[in-house]
Amino acid sequence: MKILLKDGTVVSGSGTSVQDILIEDEKIVRTGVIEEAEVHPDEIRDMSGKYLFPGFIDAHTHMDLEVSGTVTADDFRTGARAALAGGTTVVIDFATQNKGETLKEALANWQKKAAKGCSCDYGFHMAVSDWNDTVKAEIPEMIKKGITTFKLYMTYPAMRLNDGELYEAIRAFWEHGCFAGVHCENADLIDAKIREAKKEGRFGPENHPKVRPDTLEAEAVHRLMVIARLAEAPVMVVHTSSAKALEEIRKARRSGQTVLSETCPQYLLLDESVYEKKDFEAAKYVCSPPMRARENQDVLWKAIADGEIDILSTDHCSFTMEQKRMGESDFTKIPNGMPGVENRGELIFHYGVLQGRISPEIMCRVLSERPAKLYGLYPQKGALFVGSDADIVVMDPKRKKTITAADHHYNMDYSPYEGFELDGSIEEVYLRGALSVKDGKVISENQGRYLHRNLPKLRG
Ligand code: URP
Ligand code: ZN
Ligand code: ZN
């Protein structure tokens, strides 16, 4: 099957130009000016006026994850279907080791979860909750199985490592050419702030941001920088939410360290005022780190535009309102996390590109190219080159859309972006050459394949 996409505005991390793309089966086989008579396509689609992006990669999702005595509302079936609808053709989910488990067991568990059905291609990072010699010895086997990046937590009792363990793990990963993404918040001080709130009789969701201020994120980032310097290893700060945390990353970089960084749409588009919502509505936004003061948003947008933030992921970790109500009388029992996997591309296109905060090239870099390089998928993914997988997002800058949970593909009863009005939206998505999303609807489900990832490429 040959499909010719004519006259699209093709975007890469370094430029944008009007081109034709010829897809043959799963791959891109030609780009440039392509005469129909030369290639005899089965189908020709007019792409004039549309941006063609390489399929977006969401390198931070939590599907089918047990948290606080419940399981995320989205499993791979619903979560990846939503991802695909939003132009995400690859998710890299966090396979998560329970304490006492081997990494092999955790990986087998996640392979089983994804095998129930996944509508986009997928890979895994391995979240290590129990650092020990057995786990250390399993790193080469993980790499053989395509797991080349890891995740570590400085908070959450079930997953947290202490500073010494963080040091050993980060050093051991880098000995094999791998790095870890780290959740940075000071757990002990958060616990103290929680005790304080409870003593004062403060149990509502509005207290969530109060016990997790940006200073505690920045302190943990600073500590991580010290640990990584000692380990002589690169490290990624995941879901950077504040200017203070970013400043710690900058300082470490200025001193010569390799530090990678990620942020998420919620920290660019929502602010701490969401926690003032009444009737338990604030619980919708309970995630960690929490939303910050509005002035952080401009700092993060500018950092994206200036290339200081490497990637933009969602941290999709969805819980329905019924699940959130587990914490109705105690905000610390509200499962942490928010949905977002379906909206990222369109939100960033509207608020970033169409509103002039970032160029299409930067959008391509943070959503496609850079995650593909960092996570060992480039140029199979993250680029529209001859030989790349034909994962293509057709973005129409004139196709208006209003976000509403009622139209979503995921298993959720609310959207944090309900009512957001977008000037542009996705018209089509191709997954390995197959038209899989048309006019906002997923028309081909469960075609996702496991991606065996190579070692990270940190530069370029
Ligand atoms: O609140 C959040 N972000 N939940 C998901 C797990 C994590 O911290 O990344
Ligand atoms: Zn986290
Ligand atoms: Zn996360």
Side-chain angles (χ1 to χ4, degrees), residues 99-264:
K99 284 206 194 293
E101 256 180 9
T102 63
L103 300 187
K104 202 170 155 197
E105 285 164 338
L107 178 57
N109 192 11
W110 246 259
Q111 290 284 22
K112 223 188 290 163
K113 289 173 194 256
K116 289 182 197 159
C118 188
S119 292
C120 63
D121 287 352
Y122 61 96
F124 304 119
H125 314 274
M126 179 56 68
V128 175
S129 313
D130 198 358
W131 177 251
N132 54 51
D133 285 344
T134 314
V135 165
K136 185 176 176 183
E138 285 186 279
I139 296 171
E141 196 183 338
M142 287 297 110
I143 296 170
K144 263 194 218 137
K145 292 190 148 83
I147 313 295
T148 55
T149 44
F150 295 81
K151 168 95 180 266
L152 303 170
Y153 290 89
M154 296 173 87
T155 186
Y156 302 137
M159 296 187 279
R160 167 186 180 187
L161 300 192
N162 66 36
D163 292 350
E165 291 167 333
L166 289 167
Y167 165 77
E168 288 171 5
I170 288 168
R171 195 172 168 83
F173 297 148
W174 187 233
E175 277 166 15
H176 296 278
C178 306
F179 70 88
V182 183
H183 178 129
C184 298
E185 286 185 294
N186 184 314
D188 290 337
L189 288 174
I190 289 169
D191 285 347
K193 294 291 286 175
I194 289 173
R195 285 196 296 275
E196 201 173 84
K198 289 188 174 175
K199 252 190 220 150
E200 291 166 8
R202 295 188 282 117
F203 287 92
E206 68 282 3
N207 291 291
H208 177 73
K210 296 188 179 129
V211 304
R212 308 184 95 102
D214 56 1
T215 44
L216 300 193
E217 182 188 20
E219 185 283 329
V221 173
H222 175 79
R223 192 157 27 101
L224 177 68
M225 298 299 100
V226 174
I227 291 167
R229 187 175 320 142
L230 206 63
E232 297 178 44
V235 75
M236 169 172 279
V237 176
V238 296
H239 49 45
T240 309
S241 72
S242 65
K244 283 185 182 142
L246 181 66
E247 197 44 46
E248 295 299 333
I249 294 170
R250 286 178 176 146
K251 274 194 242 163
R253 283 177 177 161
R254 282 198 291 268
S255 79
Q257 279 183 254
T258 300
V259 185
L260 307 159
S261 68
E262 173 198 72
T263 192
C264 312

Side-chain angles (χ1 to χ4, degrees), residues 60 62 65 151 153 156 183 239 286-289 315 317 336-337:
H60 190 147
H62 304 273
L65 175 70
K151 168 95 180 266
Y153 290 89
Y156 302 137
H183 178 129
H239 49 45
V286 167
C287 67
S288 297
D315 195 9
C317 187
N336 275 219

Side-chain angles (χ1 to χ4, degrees), residues 42 100 127 138-139 157-158 207 214 244 277 279-280 291-292 305 308 315 335 376 445 451:
D42 300 289
E138 285 186 279
I139 296 171
N207 291 291
D214 56 1
K244 283 185 182 142
K277 290 179 191 272
D279 302 324
F280 206 59
M291 264 39 87
R292 303 301 190 189
E308 289 184 294
D315 195 9
E445 288 190 35
L451 294 167

